[in-house]
Structure formats: C-alpha cells, structure tokens
Amino acid sequence: MPGVPLQHFLVVGLLLFALGLYTVLTRRNAIGILMGIELLLNAANINYVAFARYSGTPTDGQIFAIFVIMLAAAEAAVGLAIVLGIYQNFASIDVDAAHALRH
Amino acid sequence: MDHVLTLMTFLPLLGAAIVLALPSQHHALIKQVALAATLPTLLLGVWLFVAFDRGTTDFQYVDKVPWIASYNIQYFVGVDGISITMVLLTALLCPLCVLASCGIDKGVKGYFALFLLLETGMLGVFVALDFFLFYVFWEVMLLPMYFLIGIWGGARREYAAIKFFLYTFAGSVLMLIAMLVLYFGSEPHTFDMTVLMQRTGVFDMRTQHLLWMALFVAFAIKIPVFPFHTWLPDAHVEAPTAISVILAGVLLKMGTYGILRINYGILPAATADLAFWALAVLGTFNIVYGALCALAQTDLKKLVAYSSISHMGYVMLGMAAFTPQGINGAVLQMFNHGTITAMLFLLVGVIYDRAHHRNIDGFGGLASVMPVYTGFTALAFFAAMGLPGLSAFISEVLVLLGAWQRYPGLTTVAASAIVLTAGYLLWTMQRMWLGPLNAQYAHLPEIDARELVTLVPLAVIVLVLGVYPHAVLDLINTSLLHLNEIVKAGAATGVALR
Amino acid sequence: MEPTAVSTLRWIPLLPLLGAVVNGIFGAAIQRRAGKGAIAVLAVAPIGGAFAFALLAFVQLLGLPPEGRMLLDVVWRWIAVGSLQVNVAFMADPLSCTLLLVITGIGGLIHLYSMAYMREDDAYWRYFAYLNLFTFAMLVLVLADNLLLMFVGWEGVGFCSWALIGFWWREPVNTTAGNKAFIVNRIGDCGFVLGIFAMFWTVDTVVFRDIQAHVGLLDGRMLWGMPVVGLATLLFFVGATGKSAQIPLHVWLPDAMQGPTPVSALIHAATMVTAGVYMIARLHFLYALAPGTLAVVAGVGAATAILAATIGLVQDDIKRVLAYSTVSQLGVMFVAMGVGAWSAGVFHLVTHAFFKACLFLGAGSVIHALHHEQDMRKMGGLRTQLPVTFWTFLIATLALAGAPLTAGFFSKDEILWQAWSSPLGSPLLWTVGVVTAGLTACYMFRQIFLVFFGENRVDPHVAAHVHESPAAMTVPLVILAAGSLLVGFLGVPEAFGGANRFAAWLAPVFATGHAEGHHAAHAASLEWMLTAVSVAVATTGAFVAFLVYQRRTVSADAMAALGGGAPYRLLLHKYFLDELYWATVGRGVLLLARIGAWIDRRVIDGIVDGSATLTRGIARLEGRFDAVVVDGLVNALANATGALGARLRRVQTGNINTYLYVVVGTVTLVLIARLF
C-alpha cells in the first residue's frame, strides 16, 4: 500500500516482540512459552519483510523470512517433543515442576 | 706382580659373591669358603712385605685408571710406608677373624658376605689415593659394620649399631665437604691426592685451618678422640667377638691413617699450626682418660675398649711430635696396638663363649682350670702395659721419646699413665684369673685348637717385634721421615711441598 | 779407650733365658715324665754356664790394661730411628763384671737352695722358669751398654718379681703383694724413663759410653728452670727409689715377702733391689755434675736407712725384719752414692748380697724346718736343732751388724768414713749412719735371740719334726757365710793397712768421676776413731737386744707400752704409710676413675643421647608442622573452593523462566553496551 511509512511496520513488529517476550518470560505453561517463541519469531519476520519492502534488494529479506518460518516449524516440532518428554517425566507441563536440575 | 693391590682389595669381594651363592644351610661350607676368600689376600700381603721397596718415598704397586672421567675421578691405588703396615695388618687380621667367627650360627651366609665386603672396604681405604675413591671405600666400610653389629650383636645391639653408624657418618659428611672444597679449589678440578698435595697453596690459611678441622673431626671420631669417643665402648661391648677384633684392630687405625695421609699430606701448614691442641693435648688426654675409665669398668670388654682409647692416644701424641722417633713410634704403635688389642678381644671372646658373661667380679681363679689361656692372657696384658721385650714397649718409648723433644710437660703426663695401665690390667688379672677358683667355673674347657690358631700368630708378632722392631720400622721409616719434612716445609712456607 | 769386641758376653744372659723358655713351655711335661730332678738340672745348669762365662769375662778383663778394661758384644741392631741408634749390645767393665759374678754366683747358690726348698711344690717347673727369667733380666740390666736396654732389664726384673711374689697365686694376699710391687715400681719407672728422654734430648744418644764422651753437651742446658743434668739424675733416682725400695716408694718390699723365701733372698736382697745403686754407679759421671741431686740421694738414703731400721725393731715376722733391714742397708748404699763414694757403695752392695742372702736363706731354712711358721714369737731355742743354720745365721748377722773383720764391717765403715769425710758428706750423715748401725745390731740380735735362743715356743705338733735342712740348702748357707767373712778382705781400706783391691779394681770405671776422698794422709787416725765409735754403738745395740730378749732385764712388753704404746704402734704399722698411700693415692685414683667413667656415661653419652632425643623431638615437631600447617593450607584451599561452588550453584534454580530472564537481560545489556 503506498504511503505507509516503514515505522508503522516496525512498531507492529516491536509490539508483537514485546508481547512474545512477555509471554515467554512469564508463562508457566510450557506450550504457552512455545507460543511466545512463535510470536517472537514472527515479530522478527515482520521486521524482515518490512525492511525488504523498503530496501533496494527485496529478495534478501524475504528469503530470510522463509528461513525463519522453516526454523520456527522445526523448532516447534522439537519443542513440542521436549514438552511431551517433560510431561512424561514430571506429569505436568508447568515449567516450575521441572526443576530437577536445581542445585 | 702387577695389580697386586687391586687383587688384594677385591678378592674378598669376589669371595663375598661366592658366599652369597652358596646354600644357606651349609654352615661349615660357608665358613670354609669365607676363610679361603681371605687367604689369597694374606698370601699377597706376605709377598708384599717381602717385595716392598723400603728405601723410597714413592707410591708402589700403583694402579691408575680413569673411572668417572667427566669429573676427573680415577681408580688410583698405591701403597707407601704409611699405608703398608695397615694393609698388612688388615690382611693378617681378617682370616683370624673369620676363624674366630665360627660360633655364628644364624644368618651365617649374610654374616660372612658382609664381613668379606668389609674387608674390601678396609683395604680400599688404605690403598686409595684418589679422594673420591677413598670416600667410597670409607662408606663401603660403614654399612657392613652397621649390620654386623646390629644383627649379630648383644643385648643392646641396635642402639650400639645406630650410634656407631650415625657418629661415623656425621664425620663422613664433614669429610665430604672438605673433599669437595679441595676438589673445587684445585685447577683443574681433581680428587687425586698426589696432585692435591701440591695445590693447597691456593687456599688462604683460614680456609686451610677450617678444612683441617673438618677432616680432623671426621677422623677423630674414628680414632676415637675424647669427646667423640662414646660410641666405642657400646659398639665393642655389643659387637660379636670377631667384629670387635676387626673394629679395634683395623677400623680405629683408619682415623690416624687418614690424618697422616690427608691432613698431614695435603694440609701440612695447618697441621703444623694445629697439631699441638688437636693431636698432642687431646692425645695425652686420651691416654690418661682412657686409662682412668678402664680402671672403673666391671665389664671386661668395656675395659679393653677403654684401653684402646688410651693406646690410640699414644699414636696421636707421637704424630704431633714431628720428630723421627715420634712419628715412627706412632705408626709402629698403630700396628702393635692392632695386634695386641686383637689378642685381647679374642681372649675376651674365649671366656665369653664359655661363661656367657663378661663381669670381671663374677669370675676368679680361672688359671686353675685354663692355664694355657691364662698364659696367653698374661702375655697380652703385659704387652698392653708396654713391658719391655714386647712390641708395644718399642712403640710407646719411641712415641714418648720423640714427643719429649717438643712437649716435655705433656710427655710427663702421658708417661705417668703407664702406672694406671699396669694398675687396671694387673687388678683385672688378679680378680679374674688368679685367686681362689669360683666354683661354678670349675668345669670350663681349656682353650681349643681353633682359638689357639687365632692367638698364636699374634703372640709371635708381639714377641718378635719386641726384639726386632725393624721388621716394621724399616717399612715405614723412609716415608714417615719424608712426611715430617713435608710438614716442616709447609709450616715454613705455608705451601705444600712434595 | 776403645772397648774390646767379643762375642761371648751374650751367653751370660742367653743361657738363663734358654733355661726359662724350655722350662716355661715344656716344664709341665718334663716334670711329669722325668721328675723334678730334671727340672732342677735344666734350671741350674744355665746359671752355672752363665757363671762360667762371667768368670771368663773377668779373666779377660784382668788380661787387659786397667784403662782399657771394657768388653763389648754387639748382638744385633735393635732400634735405629733418626739419631736414636740402640743395639742389643752387652758391655763388661769392672763394675758390671763385679755384679755379674754376684748375680750368677749367688744366684746359682740360691738356685741350688731352691731345689730342696721348693721340693714339695707342684709348680716346681714354673718357679724355676721364672727364676731363670729373672736372672736373664737382671743380667741384661747389668750388661746393657745403653739406657734403653737397661730399662728392658729394669722392667724385666719387675715382671719376674711380680710373677714370683705372686707365685702362690691362689691366695689373693700374694697376688696383691705382687701387684703392689709392680705398680709401685712402675711409678719409679716413670721417672727413669723420663730421665732417658731428658738424656736423649740433650746429648742425642742413650749409649753409656757416648753419653760419657759427650757429657759436656749438658752444660748450661735447662728445663723447667732446672739444669737438665740435675733433672735427669733426679728422675733416674726416682726410678731407683722404686726399684731399690727407698722412701717414698719403699712400701712394696715388705709385702714382697709373700713370695717364696729364696725369691726374697735373690730378688729382694741380693740383686734386683740393688739395681738402683748399680744405675747410679753406672751414671756416676752425670751425678758428679749434679751435687743437688746427690744431696737428695744421700738425704733420702739416710732417712730410709734410719726409718726402716726403727720399723725392723718391732716386726714379729722373721722375713719382715730382714726386709726392713734390706731397705735400711740399701739406704746406706745410697748414702755412699750420695757422697760420691761410688766404689764404697758398690762394695757394700757386694758384701750385703752375701750376708743378706745368707740371712734370708737361713730364715728360709728355719721356716722350712718349722713347716712354714714365720712368726718369731712361735720360735726360740732352735740353735741346737738347726746348728748349721744357726752358725751361718750368726756369722751373717755379725757381718750385717758390722762386727770387726767381717765383710760388713769393712764395707759399712768405708761408707761411714766417706759420709764424714767426703766434700759432699757431713757429720750429720755419719751420725745417722752410726745410729742406724746401732739399730741394725739391735734388731738383728733381737732376731737371733728370739729365734735361736731362749725357751722353745714352737707349736708342739711342729716341734717334734724339727730337723736341720738338707745339704742342698745348707751348703749354700755355708758358702755365703764364708763369703760374709772373707769378701771383706778385698776392700780393706788403706787406713787399716789394706790395699783396697776392690776400689782399685773399680777405679778405672770411676776415674772420670769424682774424687773418692783420698784423705788418707791426714785422716787415718780420724778414721780409726770414727770406726771405733761406730763399732761401740753397734755393740751397744747388740747389748740392748741381749738385755731385753735374752736376759729379760727389761721386758719387751714394757718397752712396747712406753709412751702409752703409741710409738710402738706407729712402728708396728710402718708409720701408717701404707694406709696413707691407700687413702690418698689409691682412693684418689679410683675416685678419678669412677668420675671419668661417670663423665663418659652421663655427661658425654648424655649429650649424645640427648642430641638423639632432641633430633627425634624436632622430627616430631616437623611432622606436626607438616600435618597441621602445610596440610592445613592445602585442605583450606579445598574447602574454600567447595564453599564457593556451593554458593555459585544457587544459580541453577532449575526454573526455565529464570534462565530466560537471564538470557534476555544479558542480551539487552550487551546491546546497550554496543551502543556506547
């Protein structure tokens, strides 16, 4: 859309990053943390795409965004596998319950 | 004969190796082999006595081979008038001691192997002319003694053995230091004594004095000189008979030999300065103190030990006189005392083997049951007293006559000790051999053939040297007069002269 | 004067030595197989041979001109070290030859006597071996041509004396006496040997004729503030006091009576004890240069003479009286030497040898007859039962007392005369000598009256078997008694009309010495007068003895009780000298010995053991140091690390959220840092 300044995309990306960070840091639910990570990743994606649009080489940013999506998918798969393992060991997906590595 | 000294020194070691290879239960065989191992040395000694050139001061029958070349250490052995008598004495006493050791019945193999090793060490000390070699043999001689006293000795053997060992070893440390100082002070560095004799000018007088004192203490412990002497009564009392014989007969002489060879030879200037206090005064004190202590003893072996201390005092006094009579008397006394004290300890062994104690007051009237033994004892006692006609008279008179010319006062004190010596010996003879028979010893067997064989050669020497002392004096005279000259020259110039 | 070289002198000492060796080694076996007779032959024959050789030497000397009378037999080189050149060499001149004849002659008689006297003893062979050995040593002493060889003989006779005094060694009292003799002698020997050293130090030789030739070297030599010649002669005299039993070293001689009586006769009367006198005679040329020493010699001799005589007065043992008499007579001989009357002294030595040996052998005869009773209080009236013994004893007593015309008369009066008239003498010395003569007569006649006269106090068991001794014992007695009468005529002084052949014989030896007082010219009448006085005093002494012990006019017990009995006890106990010596020297030496041994055990070994304990203590301290300090550091380090780790471990909360906070926080900080 013509005339939408870059800053607006960046702010959206920032807001999403902040929300994602807040989710990761404060959620006790393991799946919730994973969701937060997704938000973080997607916020980064918005940043990439925005900068791609307003730069001379748009393809760089877009390719990175596709890498990130791929990475997010892999990470989600692995993360969910770990959560499943945690659930099997600790009978809960509350991260406070998995404190076996405490000193 | 080439290499005669090397042969004499190392044949006993070979014998030791053979003894170790023998089966442990065959006691008789071990003893025979041990005796056989000492005989070649004795025969070579007799040959040496005949063939020795009595007119020269050079070292004879020299073997000189580089050993540890990087430090300039050589295997350098030779014999001259100073050492020849000691070599002969050792060669003579060792077979007699092996014969006297026939009573050993436990650890026989180890005993004789150690003894033969000891013989090698002793002969090596007397013939070594490289200071390092000398030191090696000195240490070699220590270790067998420790075991021989510590394992086969009497009730307090461990105490006596460790005391002997640590005392002598402490002295050896001082000798080591002095040796190294001499080594590093010579240019090029060498342990060769004949070379060191020419190099002491390098050191200032103060260093020479310190070196002399260090070496003197090391040798003084061996002589033994008051106050470093207390190891001797314990070592003698606890050691088995044959070991006492060799200790008193040979080992004590190493101290005075060392002083003559090293202190006199290598540090003549310091010798001239220090001889009065270190040798004359201490020697006189030894004579009197040893005699007094002997008078107070009730253990026969301890009495003989103290008499040894007394007799060695004569050697020191004679050495300090720097007159021909004094120094000849001193070395002759070394030889004579070796034979006489060997007789004394063998005689003590005779009665100890039979009665199992040595308490003088516990006997009495032994002459009734053992007349031949008493005869030999009388001979040995009167020889120890310096009765004219026996060997010790000549050496004591030469010492005193020589010493009088420099120290009349000290000589007077030393001469007065002949009364004390007669006192304790006659008193002991009276208490143990004369008088009424102590009934419990009425059945003691007389001295047997083996014991006689050990005593007779010594008795013959004592008698012969009393009338013909030149058998020994001719051997030593030339070299000793030369030694006197070295010291006098060193005193005059502060530098050694060869 | 060059000596004549011979090779016969060596047999004089050598034959007895051979006898001693054979009897010593094989004696027991020979006695078992061939009996005591064989031993006796083996022992007496060598002495006979030695006497023959001595006679030969005497004849040889007579054949030489008086100034050249010296035979020298060099046997072999003994000691040659530096300037000390000493040979085993024997030298015979008139002086030594005289002694040789006395030793071998009287010695031979005593050997004969011993054959019978020692018959019952099983150790017969040992006795004769020692007796021969003694003779050998004494001959070496007399024949030696140098001081060192003389010393060999000097100590050799000391050894034989020890062996013979302690002959019956099963009794401790005998061996103690032997030890005492040897040790007291050795004290004297110390002095002698120091004298030898002083001699060598100044004249560089110990050979007699060389010393005599170089006596000028002694001029002006001093040691310890004294002239060396005076010091050396004094030291030699110390040796003489030991050997010849003079004050203060006389104490061994009476105890020496424990030995068999022939031993007492030979060693302690005729020969060994005279060695001191001989030595001074031999060294007269030194003594002539030391008037101070001579004064000491005379003084000591005189004191000993009179002191010993007083002790002899109260002794009850027949041999003890004679022992003290010997000491006393030796003192008289030393008075002679001390006034420079060398040949007079030697003459008395010779005559004394005869009558004293006779007296001792006579006493032995009495003892033998009474089965070893020696207490005179248990004797008496024996003259009828032992006639030969009695008559010989009487003759010898007269000789000892100096009865006119006996040998003792001539020799003793010569000495008394010299004591008065010699420049070194004094009336005081003469007076002491005369008083001694009086006392001598007194105690000797006391002995005669107690033993041979009066009522028979012998134990009845013994009295029944008393008979005269066998010929082997009486013949020597007769010969010696004859000698006591006749030998004196060899030395009749000129004042009495004699030629004094004895002095003439010895004159060449003493020629370089010192004038023997040829005061004949103006003093003959004086000599007669003095002689008369001394004879009168002696007679008085004999008469007193007669009164007390024969007539009983004065009771002996009353005399003993004089002065509260204290003087008697003093004399009986020999002035308590033995007790004094033991309390001071004896106890003193033993105390020193114990102190020495204590120092060794407690002080020195204390230090040695203490150093060992100290070292062990230090070692323990070091061990603790190691365990506590060094290890402590190491352990503390480990503990600290652990504590730190515990603290840091708290980071591991196990809480994922925490970890995420940390990550984010760190990233933020890094980014901010990068901005600046």
Side-chain angles (χ1 to χ4, degrees), chain B residues 139-155:
Chain B
E139 299 303 311
V140 162
M141 174 260 300
L142 270 192
L143 203 60
M145 280 302 292
Y146 172 74
F147 285 115
L148 287 166
I149 300 178
I151 300 180
W152 287 275

Side-chain angles (χ1 to χ4, degrees), chain C residues 95 98-99 102 274 277-278 281 329 332-333 336-337 341-355 405-415 483-493 496 500-506 510 516:
Chain C
L95 174 63
T98 311
L99 270 276
V102 166
T274 55
V277 180
Y278 169 74
Q329 292 303 305
V332 171
M333 287 180 226
M337 307 314 261
W342 323 113
S343 56
V346 176
F347 188 44
H348 195 58
L349 191 160
V350 174
T351 58
H352 175 263
F354 276 95
F355 50 74
L405 299 184
T406 57
F409 167 71
F410 290 116
S411 60
K412 190 187 296 196
D413 274 289
E414 180 64 24
I415 294 178
S484 309
L485 285 175
L486 301 173
V487 168
F489 293 104
L490 282 174
V492 180
F496 294 170
N500 204 344
R501 281 199 281 274
F502 192 83
W505 162 249
L506 288 179
F510 298 126
E516 284 213 33

Side-chain angles (χ1 to χ4, degrees), chain B residues 19-290:
Chain B
V19 162
L20 283 174
L22 296 173
S24 307
Q25 332 62 279
H26 284 257
H27 290 184
L29 181 64
I30 293 175
K31 290 170 189 174
Q32 283 156 8
V33 169
L35 183 61
T38 57
L39 287 177
T41 305
L42 176 61
L43 292 169
L44 287 172
V46 172
W47 181 87
L48 196 60
F49 173 73
V50 173
F52 187 76
D53 182 349
R54 287 147 170 78
T56 174
T57 61
D58 294 335
F59 289 108
Q60 303 176 38
Y61 302 103
V62 169
D63 280 333
K64 194 168 179 177
V65 171
W67 182 21
I68 305 176
S70 43
Y71 288 102
N72 209 1
I73 299 174
Q74 304 166 302
Y75 174 76
F76 180 15
V77 298
V79 73
D80 73 345
I82 305 174
S83 45
I84 181 76
T85 47
M86 295 296 103
V87 170
L88 296 175
L89 183 66
T90 314
L92 171 68
L93 285 181
C94 285
L96 297 182
C97 287
V98 171
L99 273 174
S101 303
C102 280
I104 303 288
D105 54 11
K106 64 172 170 95
V108 178
K109 200 161 78 159
Y111 179 92
F112 284 101
L114 282 169
F115 187 84
L116 290 168
L117 177 62
L118 180 65
E119 180 172 7
T120 297
M122 295 189 294
L123 285 166
V125 166
F126 289 126
V127 299
L129 290 172
D130 179 291
F131 210 150
F132 189 85
L133 187 67
F134 177 89
Y135 189 77
V136 167
F137 277 119
W138 186 276
E139 299 303 311
V140 162
M141 174 260 300
L142 270 192
L143 203 60
M145 280 302 292
Y146 172 74
F147 285 115
L148 287 166
I149 300 178
I151 300 180
W152 287 275
R156 287 170 74 219
R157 55 186 179 273
E158 293 98 357
Y159 171 70
I162 196 88
K163 195 171 178 184
F164 163 80
F165 187 84
L166 285 179
Y167 233 128
T168 314
F169 203 61
S172 303
V173 167
L174 288 168
M175 192 191 342
L176 180 66
I177 297 172
M179 179 176 91
L180 291 172
V181 170
L182 285 171
Y183 175 72
F184 287 111
S186 54
E187 210 55 56
H189 297 330
T190 179
F191 287 104
D192 184 334
M193 285 190 203
T194 54
V195 174
L196 287 175
M197 285 183 196
Q198 278 138 3
R199 298 286 170 83
T200 32
V202 161
F203 300 106
D204 63 70
M205 277 318 287
R206 194 185 141 78
T207 316
Q208 287 193 41
H209 280 200
L210 284 172
L211 282 172
W212 199 94
M213 290 305 302
L215 288 164
F216 176 72
V217 171
F219 295 127
I221 291 175
K222 229 118 182 91
I223 292 174
V225 179
F226 180 94
F228 308 117
H229 65 290
T230 48
W231 61 269
L232 186 73
D234 285 312
H236 266 126
V237 166
E238 301 302 328
T241 301
I243 304 304
S244 285
V245 171
I246 208 75
L247 176 59
V250 179
L251 266 73
L252 298 190
K253 316 300 179 287
M254 289 181 178
T256 47
Y257 169 77
I259 294 181
L260 283 173
R261 174 67 74 213
I262 298 176
N263 286 46
Y264 274 47
I266 302 181
L267 296 163
T271 304
D273 291 338
L274 297 170
F276 175 68
W277 285 107
L279 289 169
V281 172
L282 283 179
T284 308
F285 191 81
N286 253 35
I287 296 174
V288 178
Y289 185 78

Side-chain angles (χ1 to χ4, degrees), chain B residues 159 163 229 289 306 430 470, chain C residues 80 169 176 186 600 605 609:
Chain B
Y159 171 70
K163 195 171 178 184
H229 65 290
Y289 185 78
Y306 276 110
Q430 183 188 28
H470 274 278
Chain C
W169 48 265
T176 305
R186 264 232 160 166
D600 242 34
D605 255 0
D609 289 343

